[in-house]
Amino acid sequence: MDGQRRIEEDFARVGRWVARYFHHPEEFRVFPEVRPGEMLAHLPDRAPEEPESFEEIIEDFERIVVPATTHWNHPRFFAYFATSADPVAVMAEALAATLDVKAMLWRTSPAATELETAMMIWLRRLLGLPEIFTGAIYDTASVAGFTALAAAREALGLDIRRRGATGRDLPTLRIYATEHTHSHVAKAAIALGVGHANVVEVPCDERFRMRPEALESAIRHDLRSGMKPMAIVATVGTTSTTSVDPVPGIAAIAQTHKIWLHIDAAYAGAAGMLPEYEWLMDGCEQADSIVLNPHKWLFVPMDCSVLFVRDFDQLRRTFSLVPEYLKAGDDGVTNYMDYGIQLGRRFRALKLWFVFRALGARRMRETLRGHISMAAAFATWVAAEPGWEVMAPHPLSVICFRHAPAGMESEQLNAHNAALLEAVNATGEVFLSHTVLNGAYVLRLAVGNQRSTLEDIDAAWNVLRRCADSLEAIKR
Ligand SMILES: *Cc1c(COP(=O)(O)O)cnc(C)c1O
């Protein structure tokens, strides 16, 4: 067989596997039945010396890899944040890998550069963000957030980019967040030399939202002590409960004290495209930077995180460093390598373009609405069932809840719900995760896969009640 036919046949084989995967999720356990080290034991301890056939490789993929995979793309995956990779975006990834461009300079891929610019405009319009914001694509919210905070540090005018932060007299820099802020903010503080201890946890209200008056007093306290506020991080859709910090009040404080305001909307930002959720982005027009993850709730596979910045050039002033061999002299172009630490960049805009076109904005909105209403239905079932309780407000598509049989102390309840989660996930039928709220261990059901239906949510509810019953039976 000639080389071209070979590729066609191998691709057809992969295509059949992908199609089967998307259409027969019932053939896969959501959470694999494997013990740590078991997968590793199936693998030879070194690479083969001679080539192996594609047939053998793909067979081992099915035999070894798939059964040891936690299926994030399964419609009964409800843990962390449920996501979905649309088949069309999977194909875009194969094409992007085929072109294999390194989108660092405009001239290293005019298409990747200009499609990225166009997709950032499309996305900004879908979300209704003001035109002043310019976006770029990063791998994850962790890196996009780090990039924004690095820009915030440079904007202080302390000349840290040039002189560094050691061996000189600098004020203590402070970042304001809450206990519900995603941990990547603390990691950024570590990497940027701000220090973990200088991430201030501003107290929250009873709905897990930052309290603006507590933020104001924390800032005043720090200023009196001679410290320097560097950034405020507000979250639109926190990881534990999807609570939404009161951005308008926080933005007013940021403005008064001239502090960089970063908005982490990694998961919830997508809902900003729903007219009935316009309130979600209230105040975000005042922000300096906003992160949103299309790989969470916008149907593209890992990885794709978008950072919108008010003063986009501040990113360039923070990161641009061009060695001789990359000097290009192209006028009036964007060289995306200037806007972060990464040099070579993947052609991530391609999958956004495929998905936006193949689904269309209306269908995307309908899907998001469907997720929100299925999650609300689940919350109603939980609230109506004796011995079960909803544990947090649920503005979006994540429900925090627990099983609370009568007569258990809070320690027992925590252990009981941890055991329940273990039992539910061990079935392989559905997969959920947990968090802790005010000391209470709670289960989380996150809806976010475009192929999840009410039947899948119902299946989760049945597994939960079944496992809860058998745990109670054991105790009796
Ligand atoms: C998921 C999430 C993150 C981290 O996203 P990555 O892209 O995995 O780095 C950050 N913040 C919030 C609010 C999230 O939900």
Side-chain angles (χ1 to χ4, degrees), residues 81 140-142 182 184 235 237 239 264 266-267 293 295-296:
F81 282 110
T140 59
S142 305
H182 192 271
H184 79 276
T235 309
T239 314
D264 181 2
Y267 148 74
N293 275 4
H295 73 224
K296 272 210 173 116

